[in-house]
Amino acid sequence: MSDEGFIHIVRVDIDPEYEAAFNAWYEQSHFPDLLACPGWLSAQRFISIGQGPKYAAMYQVAGLWAFETPEFLKVKGFGPFEPLVKNFTRIQLKPLSGDHRPDTP
């Protein structure tokens, strides 16, 4: 992958007893910390309605260089929940072509 923008998706599970605290930390601390890092352009969370890990986060990243900044290296990972996260998966995707949304008036 060349050093151009892409989508970075992370999926995880966490024990139900820690879900409320994990979700609060993700929204109130992790997202703001990541979005303050150079090259981290947007962030959004999802919950699975099918197979695989329950939680997903999708980020728009300006390039692979964003993973090497001192700011990112300080906040990467799952903070206090690192030992509690299970079934971690990651995928990075680049677009094949332009946006194909229907025109809206």
Side-chain angles (χ1 to χ4, degrees):
M1 178 187 300
S2 68
D3 207 22
E4 57 193 35
F6 59 93
I7 299 296
H8 178 75
I9 299 171
V10 172
R11 295 182 71 195
V12 299
D13 282 322
I14 190 155
D15 287 332
E17 66 186 284
Y18 301 107
E19 279 184 292
F22 177 72
N23 289 332
W25 170 81
Y26 222 106
E27 295 288 336
Q28 297 166 12
S29 296
H30 192 54
F31 270 180
D33 288 347
L34 276 180
L35 292 173
C37 296
W40 290 81
L41 308 175
S42 69
Q44 187 174 9
R45 289 188 74 214
F46 301 87
I47 192 164
S48 177
I49 58 173
Q51 303 263 347
K54 183 174 182 177
Y55 292 103
M58 183 172 69
Y59 306 94
Q60 183 180 6
V61 183
L64 289 174
W65 59 267
F67 289 84
E68 298 169 4
T69 68
E71 296 90 345
F72 175 76
L73 294 175
K74 289 179 187 173
V75 300
K76 75 176 188 172
F78 296 101
F81 298 94
E82 194 78 41
L84 305 171
V85 166
K86 298 186 276 183
N87 303 321
F88 170 80
T89 65
R90 168 182 34 218
I91 186 170
Q92 296 173 334
L93 306 167
K94 67 178 185 172
L96 285 176
S97 61
D99 196 350
H100 294 280
R101 296 182 203 183
D103 291 335
T104 55

